[in-house]
Amino acid sequence: MDDLFGGVHDLEARFIEGGAREGHRDGLAAGIVEGRELGLQKGYEIGLEVGFYSGCVHMWRRLQAQDPAIIPDRASRGLATLEQLLASFPLDDPMDDRLQEAMEKLQGRFKAVASMMGCLQDYFPREGGDQPGGAGVGSGSPGGGSSSGAPPPPGDLSY
């Protein structure tokens, strides 16, 4: 009688083993798809923020070329540092361990430069109501338009 039911006893173990193999294979495929989607999303967010900072630096330098007195010397030195940080930003390798550190330095330097120029509130409005921007370059947005036209950069990019 053992031979008659011997295959039945192994049937459950075979189905469990086959199901585990299929689950592992399907999980790998789903992980690749989800990883790709997350990578695209994070890459877009990082590119958007770095591009925003780069555009602001470009605009501020053009304003400075038109009227050198519009940007204080200290802010101009901060802009030079911001330009260096942008030039050395590790965009080529998303697995670079320095990426998050470089982003934090870039964010901090941008806030410092915007504050020196009196337009920090145009880019990072306070919660709970409309706060007026600073004077000079910061009245409105750095380009001279309304402060509501300048989108703030994306927030936390922590993983």
Side-chain angles (χ1 to χ4, degrees):
M1 289 245 191
D2 288 337
D3 294 334
L4 180 63
F5 296 108
V8 173
H9 293 299
D10 293 335
L11 188 60
E12 181 180 11
R14 285 186 289 171
F15 278 119
I16 289 173
E17 186 178 313
R21 278 193 309 270
E22 288 178 22
H24 181 58
R25 182 193 67 224
D26 293 347
L28 285 175
I32 289 171
V33 169
E34 288 177 20
R36 185 173 292 132
E37 288 174 3
L38 180 63
L40 283 170
Q41 176 187 358
K42 290 298 179 182
Y44 174 79
E45 290 173 4
I46 291 170
L48 182 67
E49 187 166 359
V50 171
F52 175 80
Y53 296 146
S54 180
C56 288
V57 168
H58 180 73
M59 179 198 51
W60 288 331
R61 287 298 190 197
R62 289 189 62 141
L63 286 172
Q64 187 179 33
Q66 291 175 359
D67 182 7
I70 200 166
I71 296 180
D73 289 339
R74 187 170 176 220
S76 185
R77 288 191 304 271
L79 273 175
T81 303
L82 194 54
E83 287 170 323
Q84 290 172 349
L85 290 172
L86 285 165
S88 65
F89 194 82
L91 286 175
D92 295 339
D93 184 9
M95 300 303 290
D96 193 334
D97 295 334
R98 301 173 302 145
L99 185 76
Q100 188 65 32
E101 181 182 334
M103 182 59 78
E104 289 169 3
K105 285 181 183 178
L106 200 55
Q107 291 166 341
R109 180 54 56 184
F110 178 82
K111 286 181 179 181
V113 169
S115 179
M116 285 181 241
M117 294 184 5
C119 60
L120 182 63
Q121 288 302 309
D122 293 335
Y123 296 105
F124 301 96
R126 291 185 184 150
E127 298 291 325
D130 293 333
Q131 298 291 328
V137 174
S139 56
S141 68
S146 165
S147 64
S148 63
D156 183 28
L157 292 177
S158 61
Y159 297 89

